[in-house]
Amino acid sequence: MLSACGGGVVPRPGVPSSPGVPPSHAGPPVRRPVAATPIAPAPAVPVPGSATAAKAGLVAGPPLYSLPINEAQAARALAAFRISCATLQRRTDASGLTRGTDWQPACAAASTAGSGDARAFFAQWFETVQVGDGKAFATGYYEPEIIGSRDRRRGYDVPIYGRPSDLVDVDLGQFSADLKGKKVRGRVDGSNFVPYFDRTAIEQGMLAQRAPIIAWAADPVELFFLQIQGSGRLRLPDGSVMRIGYDSQNGRDYTGIGALMRERGLLAPGQTSMQGIVAWLHAHPEEGRAIMRENKSYVFFREQQGAPLGALGLPVTGGVSAAADPRFVPLGAPVFLSMDRTDATGLWIAQDTGGAIRGSNRFDTFWGAGDDARAIAGGMSARGTAFLLLPVGTLARLTGGGGAQLP
């Protein structure tokens, strides 16, 4: 679950992680995006409070061949789609749009389609669908690298916790049909089930004897934003890399501190980028700690081998994979984003989820690792139109052949 909290926050270049520690691996500042003109969404009446895509209202989108998808982009998306196929065919689709059997023809064709025929593959096997009003908002996330150590030593004092032994996941659907699909996390206190410790309690030592410490970070600010990204790399003292991935979360609601800081006038004009937020926190450590603690959500990690994994437990690809709300996008499905900036516009595969990625047409684009990824993800804020790609014939089945669905 790389995009556990979906923030797209990156450290500012040249800001030391902590006294005596080299400057953050932050890379260049946010890049200025190249503007683009989104495709206008089809007229639709939003359905307030819709819990799934199937209830939000569906409208047929433009023909796939008319979308500005080049062959190279389609080839990258095809490779990612192949990775998702096995899961798409067996996973229950929480959006209510598809069944496993719907994906079988496209997945069978994907297994033999050549990279040079990728654009034609998507045009043949998929149709575009607009969910609700189609108005999309996209942010960005990446795989950050921070300074860390496997053992505690001078300059490395911030614990990176694994999943606590007393953290309990509860599927409420087992207790009531009305609560199907809803889950909570907490802990048992005597005979009561109570919320798990929040960020403040955890930072004050409440996980002693409850959770393993898998590594130590040099800077609490960098660790905070690595938690927002949900996965990342630790650059160890000997120069080697330890990759850590999302293991769980304390069940508390996520609060975006950037919005809080803007509301309180803490960020000067031009400082409202994610790099600016991090710079302010470094410059005001005491006030910064208090603000970070207003985000009660806390992410636990595990050591991870190989490529970063998304919510499907499958590898995610920079510039191709995106996080979405599974209630509105079948996980593993392709999505075309037509946005007001060129880097966000294109064909994406929904292979991840995020704590802050909620609702229809909300996406978090993944950019991989390195300076370019930091620069793009850190400034990603794009608006436009989203078209979900579904197997040909799905819309007709859902709407009875009418081309639009009224909840």
Side-chain angles (χ1 to χ4, degrees), residues 265-292:
L266 300 176
L267 301 173
Q271 196 183 13
T272 56
S273 70
M274 297 308 174
Q275 287 89 338
I277 293 171
V278 174
W280 191 97
L281 295 172
H282 276 127
H284 305 83
E286 294 302 320
E287 299 97 320
R289 179 184 299 111
I291 288 174
M292 289 189 291

Side-chain angles (χ1 to χ4, degrees), residues 146 158 221 229 349 375:
I146 70 172
V158 186
V221 175
Q229 299 300 324
I349 307 298

Side-chain angles (χ1 to χ4, degrees), residues 62-285:
L64 251 168
Y65 63 79
S66 70
L67 298 178
I69 303 172
N70 62 44
E71 193 62 51
Q73 184 184 73
R76 293 192 295 271
L78 174 58
F81 176 71
R82 285 196 192 103
I83 294 173
S84 298
C85 262
T87 300
L88 271 169
Q89 295 177 80
R90 68 171 183 266
R91 183 183 177 91
T92 299
D93 180 4
S95 74
L97 298 178
T98 65
R99 304 165 299 194
T101 53
D102 293 337
W103 297 96
Q104 289 176 0
C107 285
S111 66
T112 59
S115 58
D117 302 321
R119 192 172 185 274
F121 162 78
F122 284 106
Q124 178 179 354
W125 295 100
F126 291 92
E127 60 190 9
T128 66
V129 173
Q130 176 182 305
V131 178
D133 61 11
K135 295 179 180 179
F137 176 56
T139 49
Y141 70 110
Y142 72 108
E143 187 183 16
E145 181 177 297
I146 70 172
I147 298 170
S149 173
R150 288 185 179 273
D151 57 340
R152 189 173 189 177
R153 59 176 69 191
R154 184 178 179 181
Y156 300 83
D157 301 313
V158 186
I160 301 175
Y161 289 107
R163 181 187 173 106
S165 59
D166 61 342
L167 179 65
V168 179
D169 295 336
V170 177
D171 181 355
L172 297 178
Q174 295 182 345
F175 299 88
S176 170
D178 294 338
L179 299 175
K180 184 178 180 180
K182 295 184 177 181
K183 298 180 181 180
V184 295
R185 290 193 182 102
R187 63 186 178 90
V188 176
D189 184 8
S191 59
N192 296 316
F193 184 70
V194 299
Y196 204 74
F197 301 112
D198 64 10
R199 177 174 296 276
T200 299
I202 290 172
E203 292 182 352
Q204 291 176 343
M206 288 305 296
L207 291 190
Q209 310 303 316
R210 299 174 187 268
I213 297 175
I214 65 171
W216 298 82
D219 181 6
V221 175
E222 287 192 341
L223 178 59
F224 178 86
F225 290 113
L226 190 148
Q227 288 188 321
I228 290 177
Q229 299 300 324
S231 179
R233 306 176 182 188
L234 305 182
R235 179 64 64 174
L236 304 179
D238 64 0
S240 63
V241 170
M242 174 183 177
R243 177 174 273 133
I244 59 175
Y246 176 92
D247 196 16
S248 192
Q249 184 258 3
N250 64 344
R252 297 298 188 113
D253 289 339
Y254 170 81
T255 298
I257 65 170
L260 296 180
M261 296 171 72
R262 287 191 290 271
E263 290 169 3
R264 297 170 188 177
L266 300 176
L267 301 173
Q271 196 183 13
T272 56
S273 70
M274 297 308 174
Q275 287 89 338
I277 293 171
V278 174
W280 191 97
L281 295 172
H282 276 127
H284 305 83

Side-chain angles (χ1 to χ4, degrees), residues 375-402:
I376 298 172
M380 178 56 65
S381 179
R383 296 185 183 277
T385 307
F387 298 106
L388 178 60
L389 273 61
L390 297 178
V392 170
T394 303
L395 184 60
R397 175 176 61 79
L398 291 169
T399 63

